[in-house]
Amino acid sequence: MRFSLLKLGHWTRYLVLLCCMFWAGLATADERMALVVGNSSYGSVASLENPVHDAQLMARTLEELGFDVTLLTDASQVELKRAIAQFGRSLRAESEETVGLFYYAGHGVQSFGNNYLLPVDVALNDAADLDLVAVEAQSVLRQMASARNATNIVILDACRNNPFMNVSELNDNGLAEMQAPTGTFLSYATAPGDVAMDGADGNSPFTKALAQEMRKANEPIEQVLKQVRRAVLDETDGRQTPWDSSSLVRDFVFNEKQAEEELSGSAAEIAEEQLWTMAQESRDAVQLMLFLRAYGKSPYADQARALLSEISMEAQATTDGQVSITDETAMFEAAHEEDGTAALEAYLQAFPKGRYAELAEIELATRRSGAGEDTDLAPAPNILQSLMDTTLQAQIESGPITYDKPLRSELEQINGLTIAEVVTQSPMFPPVAGLPEEYWKTQSCSNCHNWTRDALCTQAKTYLTADLQRSLSKQHPFGGALKQALRSWAGADCQ
């Protein structure tokens, strides 16, 4: 059975990172690999209730903590040896930064100072045959050491009792303390020579405490095992004392979480970079404007403005030498909505004699003087304002809007239409204040913005950023209802 590290999907999930930053809040820089073994159903010796349950619990926990986990239960000697050998090969194939972890729950015995893990098909009548029918624990250490990785962890919950009471030479209790290579942390369920309890509630006291403690954020492994020791001592009334020894040369934390402010900063940087990449690859003037509006002080802002100027110059004239109305309208609309002067200056540079050049110059002069407020697009009739948030908002609250889901709205022009259909409609009022009717009355939103589904999704995602929240209230083009629907659609990853 194979567990794999849960990973986020493609970059469009970057907004989720603002809330939970990488699924469970992990920040594991190095690769992590684990082999987890639990043996319960023995044939020739007494079976154990909990090792398989313990192994399953440990596998789930380690997976949550970023490990690539191989889980093996009720393994025969051949299966166990094969899995250990494969684990060694996998570690050797990785870098020296890889963390290796081996966990075993089940019967274990010692003989002549050596520890042995017992497969479920073990059968023994003479102590001299032990190394022929069992698996020497030292072989695990040899495989892990061969990888020459910096950090290895071995956890043995394997000293429940002596299953070979009839073999007189095997009269030592528990496991012997092992000597481990440099960079290894060894953890035992109980002290050398002592017996550990199997547990009465589905898990052993040791594994139950370990799974709980290793989830705690930013706890060094040494502190984790100290807390485990305390918990097991409490639960067993002092009868079982977990033991560990370490030759680690590096710090190790099972659940490493960055500070909240660092996570937020990292997530914001990811969102910014991904939005810039999409805008850059699209070479779409509107998307570049939207990026500049959301991230006007971004390290990519100068590149965005330069690319915007380049694209605008290329698109100034059609084959008959006339300026493209839709390209210019889209650019001016986006420039009008962006704060500051840079976008308007870019528009005037691209269209010095454009249809909106006079409006752009007036607005630019107002912004430069600092006397004007953020001017809005043409206001909608009052009735649109009063109807904008009621029916549609109720639909949004009942579940995210999808691309092909009919909208429920008090606005007759979009009620019953899907997003795909709405963007083909003509605006209800001028998209830009003062725009002559002949330039917009017969146009569609899709014509103006050159919207494909992917491009529309990119624009919709900008309404999820804090800097663009205020644009949702603007009355272009359908009383703000389309923007509200797009924001809900984007929140569901544009499904």
Side-chain angles (χ1 to χ4, degrees):
M1 180 176 181
R2 185 78 169 175
F3 288 77
S4 60
L5 175 63
L6 296 177
K7 298 181 179 177
L8 289 182
H10 50 76
W11 72 265
T12 54
R13 299 187 184 277
Y14 66 85
L15 289 157
V16 177
L17 303 181
L18 294 171
C19 302
C20 60
M21 190 56 184
F22 307 133
W23 1 279
L26 301 178
T28 56
D30 302 330
E31 191 71 22
R32 298 177 165 197
M33 301 181 64
L35 172 59
V36 175
V37 181
N39 285 345
S40 288
S41 301
Y42 287 88
S44 300
V45 299
S47 292
L48 297 169
E49 290 290 335
N50 294 326
V52 168
H53 301 154
D54 291 332
Q56 291 169 341
L57 172 61
M58 187 55 55
R60 290 194 302 270
T61 303
L62 290 172
E63 187 193 26
E64 291 170 11
L65 297 171
F67 282 83
D68 183 5
V69 180
T70 298
L71 174 63
L72 186 65
T73 59
D74 288 333
S76 66
Q77 185 191 41
V78 171
E79 291 170 336
L80 184 53
K81 285 187 173 182
R82 183 183 295 131
I84 292 170
Q86 181 57 54
F87 184 48
R89 285 193 290 271
S90 297
L91 280 177
R92 290 191 290 274
E94 300 294 335
S95 73
E96 65 176 16
E97 303 300 319
T98 301
V99 176
L101 186 148
F102 176 81
Y103 170 93
Y104 176 83
H107 277 306
V109 297
Q110 64 165 302
S111 177
F112 296 102
N114 292 326
N115 293 322
Y116 294 88
L117 312 179
L118 304 188
V120 294
D121 58 352
V122 66
L124 184 70
N125 294 314
D126 194 305
D129 295 332
L130 186 59
D131 59 345
L132 302 177
V133 297
V135 176
E136 188 180 7
Q138 201 69 30
S139 67
V140 178
L141 295 178
R142 286 195 293 269
Q143 287 288 335
M144 298 175 81
S146 70
R148 301 186 183 279
N149 54 318
T151 303
N152 285 312
I153 302 164
V154 175
I155 302 170
L156 301 177
D157 193 354
C159 26
R160 311 298 173 93
N161 54 53
N162 182 359
F164 302 118
M165 298 300 294
N166 60 329
V167 181
S168 58
E169 292 87 348
L170 291 178
N171 54 12
D172 293 325
N173 288 325
L175 297 181
E177 187 168 5
M178 296 187 293
Q179 296 299 315
T182 300
T184 304
F185 189 95
L186 288 170
S187 176
Y188 307 86
T190 193
D194 285 347
V195 176
M197 297 183 181
D198 191 43
D201 59 356
N203 292 110
S204 77
F206 173 74
T207 295
K208 180 173 61 177
L210 180 59
Q212 179 176 339
E213 293 297 329
M214 67 202 311
R215 286 187 173 98
K216 293 184 177 178
N218 301 320
E219 291 283 359
I221 187 172
E222 295 83 359
Q223 184 64 24
V224 167
L225 269 299
K226 186 182 296 183
Q227 297 296 341
V228 169
R229 189 174 300 119
R230 290 172 180 166
V232 173
L233 282 167
D234 287 343
E235 183 168 342
T236 63
D237 295 324
R239 289 174 291 170
Q240 179 177 335
T241 305
W243 200 262
D244 57 73
S245 62
S246 174
S247 61
L248 290 180
V249 294
R250 295 188 182 185
D251 295 334
F252 179 77
V253 173
F254 282 106
N255 187 4
E256 186 177 25
K257 287 188 177 180
Q258 298 177 17
E260 184 177 351
E261 58 271 18
E262 292 177 355
L263 295 179
S264 297
S266 299
E269 291 170 3
I270 291 172
E272 178 181 328
E273 181 179 359
Q274 299 295 350
L275 191 59
W276 159 241
T277 299
M278 285 294 294
Q280 183 183 37
E281 291 176 352
S282 72
R283 293 183 64 84
D284 181 89
V286 175
Q287 303 311 319
L288 287 165
M289 284 293 188
L290 288 168
F291 172 79
L292 285 170
R293 180 168 181 184
Y295 300 103
K297 296 181 180 179
S298 165
Y300 309 110
D302 288 342
Q303 295 179 60
R305 293 187 180 98
L307 181 58
L308 183 61
S309 178
E310 175 189 333
I311 293 171
S312 300
M313 293 299 291
E314 291 173 355
Q316 275 190 57
T318 59
T319 53
D320 60 1
Q322 299 299 312
V323 173
S324 166
I325 295 175
T326 56
D327 287 342
E328 183 187 353
T329 300
M331 185 173 181
F332 176 66
E333 177 193 341
H336 189 274
E337 289 196 10
E338 186 188 347
D339 292 333
T341 62
L344 286 168
E345 290 168 349
Y347 164 79
L348 286 170
Q349 181 181 355
F351 300 102
K353 297 182 180 180
R355 299 172 187 276
Y356 319 114
E358 184 177 355
L359 289 172
E361 288 171 352
I362 293 172
E363 178 64 19
L364 186 59
T366 301
R367 295 187 187 187
R368 283 172 174 167
S369 70
E373 298 179 355
D374 181 26
T375 56
D376 207 342
L377 300 180
N382 289 338
I383 187 172
L384 297 182
Q385 179 67 41
S386 65
L387 295 176
M388 182 178 66
D389 295 328
T390 54
T391 304
L392 182 62
Q393 190 59 39
Q395 182 184 14
I396 291 172
E397 291 175 357
S398 68
I401 301 297
T402 62
Y403 191 65
D404 298 315
K405 183 177 185 177
L407 303 177
R408 297 196 299 270
S409 173
E410 296 294 335
L411 299 177
E412 182 180 346
Q413 290 83 351
I414 69 170
N415 186 46
L417 300 180
T418 65
I419 291 176
E421 293 168 333
V422 169
V423 296
T424 66
Q425 305 302 302
S426 296
M428 296 168 58
F429 47 87
V432 179
L435 186 66
E437 242 184 43
E438 59 267 26
Y439 294 146
W440 64 270
K441 198 71 171 179
T442 59
Q443 298 293 325
S444 73
C445 298
S446 185
N447 290 148
C448 179
H449 289 278
N450 298 314
W451 273 334
T452 62
R453 178 168 178 165
D454 288 343
L456 185 62
C457 177
T458 300
Q459 177 161 338
K461 287 178 183 297
T462 66
Y463 298 135
L464 292 166
T465 64
D467 290 339
L468 287 179
Q469 292 294 316
R470 64 185 183 87
S471 70
L472 292 173
S473 64
K474 294 191 175 185
Q475 299 305 306
H476 164 69
F478 295 107
L482 177 59
K483 290 182 180 179
Q484 295 285 353
L486 289 175
R487 183 174 185 274
S488 174
W489 179 52
D493 205 13
C494 299
Q495 296 301 310

